[in-house]
Amino acid sequence: MLKGHQSWIFENNPKIRAVGTVVGPFEGQGPLANDFDIIHGDLMLGQDSWEKAEKTLLEEAAKLAIENAGLTQEQVNFFIGGDLMNQIISSSFAARTLAIPYLGVFGACSTSMESLALAANLVNSRSAKFVLASACSHNAAVEKQFRYPTEYGSQKPPTAQFTVTGAGASIVAEHGKGVTVKSATIGRIVDMGITDPFNMGAAMAPAAVDTIQAHLRDLRIEPGYYDLIVTGDLSRIGYEIACDLFEKHKIQIDQTKYYDCGMMIYNYEEQTVQSGASGCGCSAVVTYGHLMKRMLKGELKRILVVATGALLSPISFQQGETIPCIAHAVSLEMEDKI
Amino acid sequence: MLKGHQSWIFENNPKIRAVGTVVGPFEGQGPLANDFDIIHGDLMLGQDSWEKAEKTLLEEAAKLAIENAGLTQEQVNFFIGGDLMNQIISSSFAARTLAIPYLGVFGACSTSMESLALAANLVNSRSAKFVLASACSHNAAVEKQFRYPTEYGSQKPPTAQFTVTGAGASIVAEHGKGVTVKSATIGRIVDMGITDPFNMGAAMAPAAVDTIQAHLRDLRIEPGYYDLIVTGDLSRIGYEIACDLFEKHKIQIDQTKYYDCGMMIYNYEEQTVQSGASGCGCSAVVTYGHLMKRMLKGELKRILVVATGALLSPISFQQGETIPCIAHAVSLEMEDKI
């Protein structure tokens, strides 16, 4: 049901019945390693291209989520997924393997919550019994497409972010134990005129704040309603800017209750990731791996995940365009009784 | 509401309240010219790149649809759109101009009906009052990205299709006069092993037939229920294959009541378009321009539009992958009373 101008309340309480998370070797060295289902030791995943490796990550995550939900592929009504590759080939080729009716989406790194918001909406309105939602990225595939081949060894400024190799998938269902998808807010494009693709955190922070403001306004709640608000993926630079903007706009968010997915998956002391992590897979694996596990353990009851995306392309950058950014928010709640 | 495995029945009868269609000069020489709102004489649309010209096409179509619906941009809850450009920049940059909460989608040339199906679903479930749905393509931008720069003048085989320069947009609303969106069927990926990107009609035809079969099965209707079934964009080669497949699968479709958008927009006698037309904009402008006008005149009462998409990328082609294809169907009906 529409709430306010751009939010949905899911009054039928759709559930995330199961999830699947698959990551690469570098993510397996980070602080959240224990929260992921599969950690690959080989960045190629036994494939002959980075692109095929990314598709394989997603296929594995999707199959895990379907199995963990106690379903077969034939029972899943729709698959909603997207990624950063041109023409979202990772998701489309995985959709071929899965043979589930498919809705391709693109929101750059906001895809994780775009797909989850739409999946929850379809289940809530009885337009589906089971929906598979996903997002994925692969560091080497993304570097090659958006920047330089990894082998070139180009230097990066400290504002740059490191693309996560990972895929996260979930099954949203009418019934089930576990985490409820309570509401979602679909973001508008915010573009503050930044043109530097090595400073995406700064570009995306205003979009995250705009969507959080819209969410609080549409739902008529205060930030304190949530045990945790998590953006993704602003990383260190963007996180600081978001904090400044909260203060400027008088949004009272307790900084101990505000995290960013881009700052959670790597160990800054030991892993060279500049400002932090990014990529469609980042907020997907942090949410479905780490945050959901904390909710199921009872450590967190209500969280708001605000996935952010920088909707540029190499062509738009080369033509001197600024970076349009977006953020989609989904609120997750744990019922008292399990 | 879910009907069967992969279809939706829109029991609250969402309406297409208004549309906007904008095309380029070549489409303005075709047989449907009178059905389009704006025909540009200049393929650049006064912009300094093909990509910006494509974005401008979409912005104009969207603004027309909003105005024709008697709305302001602020009243539209969501904008659902996509295109063929890497990272769907045409839609994302138009979403920045429009400032409407935005859901980016990608289904290659099936995007027109993917966006309309989702828009109708959101309005039907009271998740939105007004949704803008769109798809667009620009011949020169697409040729440059997927094939060769136009200036190179490379030869094409007779199986190739000509990408439409055009944008189509619609406003779906709870109430209004006009055409009702009655149902939709979301397609699965079908891949018959074709690798030739110059023969997409052949690659996509089986996907169109698969979705039509699913639609008829889910809704328990016969093909004769519709005055017209229109695929898009198979063009001549794909159309013939689809007809053969209908026969093989014993789907009794009267060929006089089966059209393809790719065969409608250009004049084969005078315009060199090989097998016919393609591109996200093709089925969008043929549906919102030509077919809707025929419905409003009372010439057609019930139609099924089956937009087809080839979900390849230049990278997947270069890596020797076959072409995964999809088709999404939306049924439109005209009420007796206007």
Side-chain angles (χ1 to χ4, degrees), chain A residues 2 5 8 49 51 74 77 84 86-87 96 102 104 106 114 121 126-127 187 191 319 321-322 328, chain B residues 2 5 8 49 51 74 77 84 86-87 96 102 104 106 114 121 126-127 187 191 319 321-322 328:
Chain A
L2 183 67
H5 181 65
W8 298 323
S49 76
E51 291 78 11
E74 292 71 28
N77 300 104
L84 289 163
N86 295 342
Q87 290 75 52
R96 179 177 72 182
Y102 168 59
F106 179 78
E114 179 178 353
N121 189 300
R126 306 297 184 232
S127 302
D191 185 335
Q319 294 187 355
E321 279 279 10
T322 54
H328 302 302
Chain B
L2 183 67
H5 181 64
W8 298 323
S49 75
E51 291 79 10
E74 292 71 27
N77 300 105
L84 288 163
N86 296 342
Q87 289 74 52
R96 178 176 73 181
Y102 167 60
F106 179 77
E114 178 178 354
N121 190 299
R126 306 297 185 230
S127 302
D191 186 334
Q319 295 186 355
E321 280 279 9
T322 54
H328 302 303

Side-chain angles (χ1 to χ4, degrees), chain B residues 168-237:
Chain B
S170 64
I171 289 284
V172 183
E174 286 177 359
H175 312 288
K177 292 174 182 173
V179 171
T180 304
V181 190
K182 288 300 278 187
S183 67
T185 298
I186 302 304
R188 292 182 307 156
I189 303 270
V190 177
D191 186 334
M192 302 300 280
I194 287 179
T195 55
D196 179 3
F198 284 113
N199 195 1
M200 304 245 251
M204 294 190 294
V209 174
D210 187 75
T211 296
I212 291 169
Q213 266 191 308
H215 180 79
L216 299 173
R217 184 194 63 224
D218 281 353
L219 271 70
R220 299 184 188 178
I221 52 175
E222 296 295 321
Y225 179 85
Y226 293 106
D227 300 328
L228 202 61
I229 293 177
V230 192
T231 51
D233 320 306
L234 302 182
S235 290
R236 285 199 286 212
I237 311 274

Side-chain angles (χ1 to χ4, degrees), chain A residues 1 36 43 52 54 59 77 95 127 140 164 168 176 189 197 202 222 247 250 252 256 262 313 326:
Chain A
M1 197 183 71
F36 304 130
L43 200 56
K52 289 180 190 171
E54 179 170 322
E59 287 174 352
N77 300 104
S127 302
V164 164
I189 304 272
E222 297 294 321
E247 210 176 299
K250 300 193 172 40
Q252 300 202 326
T256 62
S313 83
I326 200 162

Side-chain angles (χ1 to χ4, degrees), chain A residues 76-258:
Chain A
V76 181
N77 300 104
F78 306 107
F79 165 36
I80 305 177
D83 54 78
L84 289 163
M85 291 291 94
N86 295 342
Q87 290 75 52
I88 60 168
I89 47 170
S90 307
S91 302
S92 298
F93 280 79
R96 179 177 72 182
T97 308
L98 297 165
I100 300 169
Y102 168 59
L103 291 158
V105 293
F106 179 78
C109 307
S110 71
T111 300
S112 61
M113 292 303 118
E114 179 178 353
S115 60
L116 181 59
L118 281 170
N121 189 300
L122 293 183
V123 171
N124 187 67
S125 70
R126 306 297 184 232
S127 302
K129 286 180 181 162
F130 305 109
V131 181
L132 174 68
S134 81
C136 63
S137 53
H138 188 292
N139 184 277
V142 164
E143 287 297 313
K144 171 183 155 191
Q145 180 185 278
F146 282 96
R147 301 189 182 102
Y148 302 100
T150 312
E151 297 83 348
Y152 185 66
S154 79
Q155 299 288 306
K156 287 185 180 176
T159 51
Q161 292 171 246
F162 189 92
T163 303
V164 164
T165 299
S170 65
I171 290 284
V172 183
E174 285 178 358
H175 312 288
K177 293 173 180 175
V179 171
T180 305
V181 189
K182 287 300 278 186
S183 67
T185 299
I186 303 304
R188 291 181 307 156
I189 304 272
V190 178
D191 185 335
M192 303 300 281
I194 287 177
T195 54
D196 179 4
F198 284 114
N199 195 2
M200 304 244 253
M204 295 190 293
V209 174
D210 188 75
T211 296
I212 291 169
Q213 266 191 308
H215 181 79
L216 299 173
R217 183 194 65 224
D218 281 353
L219 271 70
R220 298 183 188 179
I221 52 175
E222 297 294 321
Y225 178 86
Y226 293 107
D227 299 330
L228 203 61
I229 294 177
V230 193
T231 51
D233 320 301
L234 302 182
S235 290
R236 285 200 287 213
I237 311 273
Y239 181 88
E240 293 300 327
I241 294 171
C243 289
D244 289 350
L245 289 170
F246 290 143
E247 210 176 299
K248 192 177 158 193
H249 293 294
K250 300 193 172 40
I251 308 169
Q252 300 202 326
I253 294 185
D254 179 350
Q255 273 198 37
T256 62
K257 293 182 173 180
Y258 167 46

